[in-house]
Amino acid sequence: MSKVIVVTSGKGGVGKTTTSAAFAAGLASKGHRTAVIDFDVGLRNLDLIMGVERRVVYDFVNVINGEATLRQALIKDKRVDNLFILPASQTRDKDALTKEGVESVINELKTDGFEYIVCDSPAGIEKGAFMALYFADEAIIVTNPEVSSVRDSDRILGILQSKSRAAEDGNVVKEHLVITRYSPERVDLGDMISLEDIVDILSVPLLAVIPESDSVLQASNNGVPVIMNLESQAGQAYMDMTSRFLGEDVPHRFLDIEKKGFFKKLFG
């Protein structure tokens, strides 16, 4: 049975597209046929992070408008079997997305045997974001450990619980929390909200904590989902996240200040 999973946030710049790319790549690497859709019409960043920007010929809006078939628009990842990307249009307006059009694409992906359909939502509550979350079975709420990000995430939770199709049908969208750019050292200094406080404020089950890491920016610049760099803490955390989502019992890591051994203290 196919699942539609929206990756969303109230605030921009929290690592939502990075999370969508890493999560989709993680699902595919574990043998699940996965499509990731960019709903950010007019901006289009997912294809850059996935490293397929030069291969974009047709996009999501072309498919909705009947200007291309879904198979023409889907880009198969060359590095991970079972992973496909549906890019957003860079030249259209967000009004190009319609409920009927989005539903048609999602239904076709389900018919084509995709087990997971990951919807990379724009930030905020405008039309693209609403379209991304409307058909969701599950939602991954991405937030940073700062007050404005957590507050805006709470607003998105309210929309999921009231305006999604599941809510209209009297059902519930299953929610997961992912905290990105987490630094235990900065939490200890009082510069960031603690993990416990974020979970308490949002009351959403914690799926993953992604540590602050230069490897995320490096991966994005190289067009490689950071989950493919399993030498990095961020890559490991995203793989843990994927395993946890699939039901594996994986303990959380990178939550505490790393204790430096004698040689690390001596040589840095």
Side-chain angles (χ1 to χ4, degrees), residues 229-245:
N229 178 9
L230 290 178
E231 293 183 2
S232 72
Q233 289 188 346
Q236 293 170 40
Y238 274 120
M239 189 58 79
D240 288 352
M241 166 189 166
T242 307
S243 299
R244 223 173 271 122
F245 180 86

Side-chain angles (χ1 to χ4, degrees), residues 110-183:
K110 290 179 178 179
T111 302
D112 282 350
F114 283 92
E115 295 173 73
Y116 293 103
I117 301 161
V118 179
C119 302
D120 180 31
S121 169
I125 55 172
E126 42 77 27
K127 187 172 182 180
F130 173 72
M131 288 296 170
L133 67 82
Y134 183 74
F135 295 99
D137 300 305
E138 302 194 28
I140 293 173
I141 314 300
V142 182
T143 190
N144 289 162
E146 47 187 65
V147 173
S148 60
S149 181
V150 174
R151 180 195 62 201
D152 290 347
S153 293
D154 206 20
R155 191 176 184 191
I156 286 293
L157 287 168
I159 293 170
L160 274 167
Q161 292 160 3
S162 60
K163 293 192 175 182
S164 62
R165 184 166 68 176
E168 291 175 357
D169 293 341
N171 299 316
V172 175
V173 176
K174 187 176 181 181
E175 298 160 350
H176 310 270
L177 178 63
V178 172
I179 302 171
T180 55
R181 296 178 183 161
Y182 193 76
S183 168

Side-chain angles (χ1 to χ4, degrees), residues 1-250:
M1 182 179 170
S2 300
K3 275 189 181 175
V4 180
I5 304 150
V6 63
V7 180
T8 185
S9 68
K11 189 173 181 287
V14 299
K16 184 172 34 55
T17 299
T18 294
T19 298
S20 296
F23 179 56
L27 291 170
S29 72
K30 288 179 175 288
H32 300 281
R33 188 168 161 85
T34 304
V36 55
I37 307 174
D38 190 348
F39 275 78
D40 204 354
V41 175
L43 289 178
R44 203 179 88 187
N45 289 317
L46 180 66
D47 56 304
L48 290 170
I49 288 178
M50 300 294 291
V52 299
E53 70 277 7
R54 294 181 182 177
R55 296 172 59 198
V56 176
V57 178
Y58 295 109
D59 57 53
F60 191 13
V61 174
N62 290 139
V63 178
I64 287 175
N65 290 343
E67 298 158 352
T69 65
L70 180 58
R71 293 199 176 194
Q72 284 178 300
L74 279 174
I75 301 171
K76 187 179 188 304
D77 193 277
K78 292 180 179 179
R79 299 153 301 195
V80 184
D81 286 339
N82 303 307
L83 179 59
F84 294 79
I85 301 100
L86 183 56
S89 171
Q90 211 168 16
T91 59
R92 307 293 181 97
D93 186 83
K94 289 178 172 60
D95 288 335
L97 297 179
T98 63
K99 271 189 187 177
E100 297 76 19
V102 172
E103 184 173 26
S104 175
V105 170
I106 288 174
N107 286 342
E108 190 172 348
L109 286 168
K110 290 179 178 179
T111 302
D112 282 350
F114 283 92
E115 295 173 73
Y116 293 103
I117 301 161
V118 179
C119 302
D120 180 31
S121 169
I125 55 172
E126 42 77 27
K127 187 172 182 180
F130 173 72
M131 288 296 170
L133 67 82
Y134 183 74
F135 295 99
D137 300 305
E138 302 194 28
I140 293 173
I141 314 300
V142 182
T143 190
N144 289 162
E146 47 187 65
V147 173
S148 60
S149 181
V150 174
R151 180 195 62 201
D152 290 347
S153 293
D154 206 20
R155 191 176 184 191
I156 286 293
L157 287 168
I159 293 170
L160 274 167
Q161 292 160 3
S162 60
K163 293 192 175 182
S164 62
R165 184 166 68 176
E168 291 175 357
D169 293 341
N171 299 316
V172 175
V173 176
K174 187 176 181 181
E175 298 160 350
H176 310 270
L177 178 63
V178 172
I179 302 171
T180 55
R181 296 178 183 161
Y182 193 76
S183 168
E185 292 83 3
R186 293 181 64 189
V187 170
D188 193 52
L189 291 170
D191 295 337
M192 284 184 170
I193 306 174
S194 72
L195 163 66
E196 293 77 15
D197 285 344
I198 297 169
V199 173
D200 186 54
I201 292 166
L202 296 179
S203 299
V204 174
L206 182 66
L207 181 63
V209 178
I210 312 300
E212 200 166 40
S213 173
D214 291 339
S215 62
V216 173
L217 180 59
Q218 291 166 5
S220 296
N221 288 339
N222 292 330
V224 179
V226 69
I227 198 170
M228 294 183 183
N229 178 9
L230 290 178
E231 293 183 2
S232 72
Q233 289 188 346
Q236 293 170 40
Y238 274 120
M239 189 58 79
D240 288 352
M241 166 189 166
T242 307
S243 299
R244 223 173 271 122
F245 180 86
L246 293 171
E248 296 178 40
D249 186 12
V250 181

